[in-house]
Amino acid sequence: MEDHIADRTDLRGDCERCFGLCCVALPFAATTDFAIDKAAGTPCPNLRGDHRCGIHAKLRQTGFTGCTVYDCFGAGQKVSQVTFGGRDWRTVPRAESRRMFDVFPVVRQLHELLWYLTEALTLSAARPVHPDLRRALDRTEELTRGTPEELGALDVGAHRQEVNVLLLRTSELMRAGVKGKKKDRRGADLMGARLKGADLTGANLRGAYLIAADLTGADLRGADLIGADLRDADLTDADLTGAFFLTQPQVNAARGSAGTRLPGSVVRPAHWAAGL
């Protein structure tokens, strides 16, 4: 596997190689995550002329927590530097800038799939499906390099469904190796649930709503966390060692501590230490 794909360096946002696409293309509404309303295709008022955020150092304190949670999985630099060949949305005709904004979320979805597929190829328990996973990864990477017209016409939902079949099989193989009875809470409504110290080893938590759940000291080793909503979930002293399909945005959205044990694929958010 190519090194840049294997270590996922190209699947993490790199603002130095992007033209602030997430700050323009995406909409947001005034909520606890954002201080203001902003329409899709409209630059955030905090975006500077050099495509950097004017309040980056104090986003959470000024009501823009959502910005600190978000990650494009490297789609920003792919669209900026590859799809549109380094052309700045500020300097191209309006029709072309609109295409950039339309293509960006499509590539973001594809890059998220690349994240999961790359991880699945590192899991020894998933070895029986590694050939299929490799083909799916190559096909997804190929799609990300399509023209703006090809990306605009892509049925990304259908492609996600095809990949999901392989990710589901990966999950089954991974969790089968975890001893004991494993909980299946796929898509469960666990908002605000009291799960302090819960044994969730090898659990299926795909798409579960864990918003503001108390997972203090919970054992999440070997759990499938793909799509789980961890916004404001308390992961203080929780053990997520070996949990798979966990992304940086999920971790960023949760609360944790120095005692929270995380997989090596994600980093401990700076705001955890700051208590923000």
Side-chain angles (χ1 to χ4, degrees), residues 75 79 100-113 143-144 150-156 160:
V79 173
M100 290 182 186
F101 305 149
D102 290 341
V103 163
F104 172 67
V106 174
V107 177
R108 199 264 186 187
Q109 290 190 66
L110 293 174
H111 269 231
E112 183 179 3
L113 291 178
L143 289 174
T144 71
E150 290 169 339
L151 286 164
L154 177 66
D155 185 347
V156 70
R160 288 185 71 98

Side-chain angles (χ1 to χ4, degrees), residues 4 8-13 17 71-79 82-83 104-118 137 140-145 151 156 159-160 247:
H4 74 283
R8 292 188 264 193
T9 54
D10 282 356
L11 300 179
R12 304 176 193 272
R17 295 191 287 148
D71 188 274
C72 72
F73 294 100
Q77 62 259 31
K78 174 68 73 64
V79 173
V82 178
T83 313
F104 172 67
V106 174
V107 177
R108 199 264 186 187
Q109 290 190 66
L110 293 174
H111 269 231
E112 183 179 3
L113 291 178
L114 289 175
W115 177 275
Y116 297 136
L117 288 165
T118 302
L137 186 147
T140 305
E141 173 65 23
E142 179 185 6
L143 289 174
T144 71
R145 296 183 177 277
L151 286 164
V156 70
H159 183 67
R160 288 185 71 98
T247 66

Side-chain angles (χ1 to χ4, degrees), residues 116-180:
Y116 297 136
L117 288 165
T118 302
E119 179 172 0
L121 283 164
T122 70
L123 304 175
S124 57
R127 196 173 300 279
V129 290
H130 276 188
D132 290 334
L133 288 166
R134 178 76 244 188
R135 283 189 287 271
L137 186 147
D138 290 342
R139 174 55 179 157
T140 305
E141 173 65 23
E142 179 185 6
L143 289 174
T144 71
R145 296 183 177 277
T147 65
E149 292 73 24
E150 290 169 339
L151 286 164
L154 177 66
D155 185 347
V156 70
H159 183 67
R160 288 185 71 98
Q161 290 180 3
E162 292 175 10
V163 171
N164 192 48
V165 172
L166 296 175
L167 299 180
L168 281 168
R169 180 58 180 148
T170 298
S171 178
E172 292 167 357
L173 291 167
M174 284 292 294
R175 293 183 299 104
V178 179
K179 295 180 180 179

Side-chain angles (χ1 to χ4, degrees), residues 185-265:
R185 306 308 304 271
R186 181 178 181 181
D189 184 352
L190 298 170
M191 293 177 62
R194 298 176 181 177
L195 297 168
K196 184 175 182 177
D199 181 3
L200 295 169
T201 53
N204 182 355
L205 292 167
R206 296 171 65 91
Y209 296 93
L210 288 157
I211 301 169
D214 182 3
L215 289 161
T216 303
D219 192 343
L220 291 152
R221 289 177 296 171
D224 181 351
L225 291 168
I226 195 169
D229 193 336
L230 296 173
R231 282 178 293 169
D232 208 32
D234 191 349
L235 297 176
T236 298
D237 297 333
D239 190 351
L240 289 85
T241 306
F244 55 99
F245 297 151
L246 179 68
T247 66
Q248 194 63 52
Q250 287 173 293
V251 175
N252 291 347
R255 293 181 287 126
S257 67
T260 305
R261 281 152 285 185
L262 296 169
S265 58

